[in-house]
């Protein structure tokens, strides 16, 4: 159990590092995501082939999973675009708005009642974003892209959950990466036409960062999560991932000295966002106790 919790927090630390790589890599966000998905597809295909866990799926299933992967790719584009237009801290803080988008989108997609409590808790995070947006005008473009990124991330999570019912996680990841890569390959020429670059090829340093992003922060992160979920419940893992933005912000402050670029409004807004996360976590814990009382009775003993 101790080893599993170490791996859990290592996986959260790695997940928090994706934003750091977004700042380190000089390629624009479109090329960054395209290379990440290409390298991750190849690496994961080779890994599954070596482990003999590669599963054949129909063309229709490939298309269905691949379309979910394209949604993930669009989320990543806006996420890295937010970081490049502002900084890592702004990019990851905006992802906290996933909760309010999920509270709105999930009932609409799955056709059930909207939870007013979830909406109220999420509005606290919205107020935090508004404070940062209003007082820190330097990062308005980055914040707008971050908000779109969080909406796309929410949609991806909901749709991915619906589609993943009939497939293994390894199959989902492989074809999502492949689908995202192929989808972006069709979009990228138009993207680069409107956002031209001097070169589409990464330099030596960018190539190293991209390989680390694809291997460690994509394939390696997946392997760690699978190992952790064999010991620790998905409920605990999901709650623990609320620490991811904190790890990202600390890392950005240490590597890029972002603390000097952040004013009081950012920290006040961040405080409200953290409060929102705490309120939602307590709400989820309360519901979990309500539906699984035997677990907590055993734990208390």
């Amino acid at each position: 159990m101790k080893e599993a919790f170490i791996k859990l927090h290592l996986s959260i630390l790695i997940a928090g590092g994706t934003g750091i790589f977004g700042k380190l890599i000089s390629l624009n966000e479109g090329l960054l995501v395209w290379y990440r998905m290409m390298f991750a597809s190849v690496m994961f295909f080779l890994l599954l082939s070596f482990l003999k866990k590669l599963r054949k799926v129909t063309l229709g299933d490939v298309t269905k999973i691949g379309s979910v992967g394209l949604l993930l790719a669009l989320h990543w584009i806006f996420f890295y675009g937010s970081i490049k237009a502002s900084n890592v801290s702004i990019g990851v803080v905006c992802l906290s708005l996933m909760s309010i988008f999920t509270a709105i989108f999930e009932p609409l997609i799955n056709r059930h009642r909207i939870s007013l409590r979830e909406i109220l808790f999420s509005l606290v995070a919205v107020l935090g974003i508004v404070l940062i947006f209003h007082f820190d005008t330097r990062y308005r473009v980055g914040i707008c892209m971050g908000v779109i990124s969080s909406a796309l991330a929410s949609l991806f999570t909901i749709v991915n959950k619906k589609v993943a019912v009939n497939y293994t996680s390894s199959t989902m990841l492989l074809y999502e990466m492949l689908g995202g890569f192929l989808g972006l390959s069709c979009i990228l020429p138009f993207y680069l036409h409107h956002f031209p670059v001097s070169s589409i090829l990464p330099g030596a340093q960018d190539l190293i960062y991209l390989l680390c992003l694809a291997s460690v922060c994509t394939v390696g992160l997946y392997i760690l999560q699978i190992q952790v979920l064999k010991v620790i419940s998905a409920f605990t893992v999901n709650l623990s991932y609320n620490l991811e933005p904190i790890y990202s912000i600390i890392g950005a402050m240490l590597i890029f000295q972002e603390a000097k670029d952040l004013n009081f409004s950012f920290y006040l807004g961040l405080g409200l966002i953290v409060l929102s996360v705490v309120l939602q976590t307590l709400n989820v814990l309360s519901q979990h106790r309500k539906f699984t009382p035997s677990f907590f009775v055993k734990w208390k003993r």
Side-chain angles (χ1 to χ4, degrees):
M1 182 63 74
K2 181 180 179 181
E3 181 182 345
F5 272 103
I6 291 173
K7 288 182 177 180
L8 171 60
H9 284 279
L10 178 60
S11 71
I12 299 170
L13 185 63
I14 291 173
T18 59
I20 304 294
F21 279 112
K23 196 72 173 178
L24 289 172
I25 296 170
S26 62
L27 295 172
N28 73 14
E29 56 277 3
L31 287 169
L32 190 160
V33 176
W34 185 73
Y35 277 113
R36 178 183 184 180
M37 290 192 138
M38 179 180 68
F39 290 145
S41 298
V42 173
M43 291 175 184
F44 205 64
F45 175 80
L46 293 175
L47 177 65
L48 292 181
S49 298
F50 176 76
L51 297 175
K52 296 182 180 180
K53 291 185 177 181
L54 191 62
R55 300 288 182 266
K56 292 183 178 180
V57 297
T58 64
L59 181 61
D61 290 340
V62 171
T63 303
K64 185 188 297 183
I65 302 172
S67 62
V68 179
L70 181 57
L71 190 58
L72 174 62
L74 294 174
H75 153 61
W76 278 348
I77 285 176
F78 279 95
F79 173 64
Y80 288 121
S82 174
I83 288 173
K84 290 181 180 296
S86 54
N87 56 40
V88 177
S89 300
I90 294 292
V92 297
V93 161
C94 287
L95 279 181
S96 301
L97 290 180
M98 270 186 64
S99 57
I100 191 166
F101 286 117
T102 302
I104 296 170
F105 292 156
E106 190 170 28
L108 294 175
I109 293 173
N110 296 329
R111 297 182 180 180
H112 61 76
R113 290 179 61 185
I114 292 177
S115 170
L116 292 179
R117 181 180 294 183
E118 289 181 2
I119 293 290
L120 288 173
F121 290 162
S122 300
L123 285 175
V124 178
V126 173
L127 180 58
I129 293 294
V130 169
L131 276 172
I132 298 172
F133 186 90
H134 180 70
F135 291 108
D136 209 336
T137 57
R138 295 172 296 168
Y139 302 132
R140 287 191 173 181
V141 174
I143 291 172
C144 289
M145 295 185 75
V147 171
I148 296 172
S149 166
S150 65
L152 290 169
S154 174
L155 281 174
F156 166 74
T157 302
I158 297 167
V159 174
N160 189 56
K161 186 177 180 180
K162 290 174 69 70
V163 173
V165 173
N166 301 317
Y167 311 100
T168 63
S169 56
S170 58
T171 299
M172 286 294 295
L173 182 61
L174 173 61
Y175 289 107
E176 281 176 356
M177 291 296 110
L178 187 59
F181 166 69
L182 294 176
L184 277 185
S185 297
C186 297
I187 297 172
L188 207 56
F190 303 97
Y191 185 87
L192 293 176
H193 175 73
H194 290 91
F195 302 96
V197 294
S198 57
S199 175
I200 63 171
L201 296 176
Q205 189 175 53
D206 278 347
L207 181 61
I208 293 172
Y209 289 147
L210 283 166
L211 289 172
C212 288
L213 181 62
S215 59
V216 179
C217 297
T218 308
V219 178
L221 179 60
Y222 163 80
I223 294 171
L224 272 177
Q225 288 175 341
I226 292 299
Q227 292 176 347
V228 166
L229 286 169
K230 289 180 180 179
V231 183
I232 301 174
S233 69
F235 174 78
T236 302
V237 171
N238 288 334
L239 285 184
S240 299
Y241 263 79
N242 286 330
L243 293 170
E244 181 185 340
I246 306 300
Y247 286 4
S248 292
I249 292 171
I250 293 173
M253 288 179 174
L254 293 174
I255 297 172
F256 305 115
Q257 287 78 48
E258 285 191 3
K260 63 183 180 181
D261 297 325
L262 304 174
N263 58 22
F264 176 73
S265 64
F266 173 85
Y267 293 107
L268 183 60
L270 177 61
L272 288 174
I273 292 167
V274 171
L275 175 61
S276 171
V277 171
V278 170
L279 290 173
Q280 291 175 72
T281 300
L282 292 174
N283 183 47
V284 171
L285 284 169
S286 175
Q287 293 177 357
H288 194 66
R289 289 193 189 97
K290 181 179 179 180
F291 292 106
T292 57
S294 59
F295 168 81
F296 283 91
V297 169
K298 183 178 179 180
W299 181 78
K300 286 178 181 177
R301 291 177 185 173

